[in-house]
Amino acid sequence: MARPRKPLLSRDRIVGAASALVDAEGLDAVSTRRLAAVLGVSGPSLYNHFRNKEEILDAVADAVSAQVDLSMFEEPDPRDWREALHDWALSYRTALAAHPHIVPVLARGPGRRPAGLRVADAVFGAMVGAGWPPAQATRIGALMRYFITGSALGSFAGGFVDDETAYDPADYPHLGQAHLLADHRRQVDEGAFETGLRALLEGLAIQYEQYAQPVGDDAATVRPVPNRP
């Protein structure tokens, strides 16, 4: 009987294998030699699809960006800009939380990555469409990326050990319960993100009143205030 043929090598297979390695072992685990071994191919065959390891990691990062929901910014029924940013931020953080090791690559920005650029385009377009001046819409996009990727780089609750003897009240009088945080990691971290996100959006809502004004009799329609940077 003929031996079964190996699946043809493709960009998707390479990205899938690289993503699994990153998730399991981190960025340093990825090399062209390691990927070739995992895929059962020769190392040079990878270069038919990617020039180097950096391009592979870019593709892995973009695959994560592609998981982010952008429907809240889309016509025919886009949501209020605050609600849209809130729901998008939750979706973005969920995607990053599922693949935390790739966050440092994503934090560098979209570069030429298609899915990442679609995310940036959707957020910027929605903010300008809501009445924010383009310069401020750019700052909002940057602010949201800083906040979301920063929250996914590490766990606040996971930064404390579960040994109560590690936090002597004589040295740390206010950390008597810190050893319990690790057992409530998800609750603490997600609650902190939601608290920060709501505070951020409330602050932007105050700025919005300064940057935009009603058009005619329709208070729901706004235009940028002129001469704002």
Side-chain angles (χ1 to χ4, degrees):
M1 294 179 63
R3 297 177 62 183
R5 296 177 59 189
K6 294 181 179 179
L8 293 175
L9 191 61
S10 66
R11 286 179 64 91
D12 286 346
R13 281 194 68 213
I14 296 170
V15 171
S19 181
L21 273 178
V22 171
D23 286 347
E25 301 179 36
L27 293 172
D28 291 341
V30 179
S31 68
T32 53
R33 178 179 297 181
R34 180 82 182 275
L35 281 173
V38 169
L39 292 164
V41 299
S42 63
S45 63
L46 298 179
Y47 297 115
N48 293 325
H49 302 276
F50 295 97
R51 289 183 296 180
N52 50 44
K53 169 185 171 179
E54 286 67 33
E55 280 197 356
I56 295 172
L57 291 177
D58 257 0
V60 172
D62 213 38
V64 174
S65 294
Q67 298 172 21
V68 180
D69 182 14
L70 299 176
S71 64
M72 64 286 297
F73 300 123
E74 296 171 355
E75 299 289 352
D77 187 27
R79 300 170 204 172
D80 171 80
W81 68 268
R82 285 160 293 191
E83 181 184 356
L85 277 183
H86 177 272
D87 294 348
W88 166 73
L90 292 181
S91 175
Y92 197 174
R93 186 180 184 276
T94 296
L96 298 190
H99 307 279
H101 292 147
I102 199 64
V103 173
V105 178
L106 283 160
R108 296 200 293 259
R112 297 175 181 270
R113 299 193 295 265
L117 289 170
R118 283 192 290 273
V119 171
D121 182 72
V123 174
F124 178 78
M127 295 305 100
V128 171
W132 287 97
Q136 193 66 2
T138 298
R139 296 180 188 121
I140 291 171
L143 168 64
M144 297 301 292
R145 183 162 64 84
Y146 298 153
F147 176 67
I148 297 166
T149 58
S151 75
L153 282 172
S155 164
F156 176 82
F160 295 86
V161 299
D162 61 0
D163 179 3
E164 62 181 320
T165 65
Y167 308 109
D168 190 330
D171 297 321
Y172 315 106
H174 305 296
L175 297 182
Q177 302 297 307
H179 65 284
L180 301 175
L181 289 173
D183 290 335
H184 303 279
R185 178 171 175 167
R186 181 172 179 178
Q187 179 182 0
V188 171
D189 292 346
E190 291 185 358
F193 181 79
E194 182 70 27
T195 298
L197 179 58
R198 291 192 178 278
L200 188 156
L201 294 176
E202 288 172 7
L204 286 177
I206 294 173
Q207 289 187 25
Y208 185 71
E209 295 178 1
Q210 302 168 359
Y211 276 94
Q213 63 186 20
V215 176
D217 297 327
D218 186 359
T221 305
V222 296
R223 66 184 176 196
V225 173
N227 300 323
R228 286 280 186 174

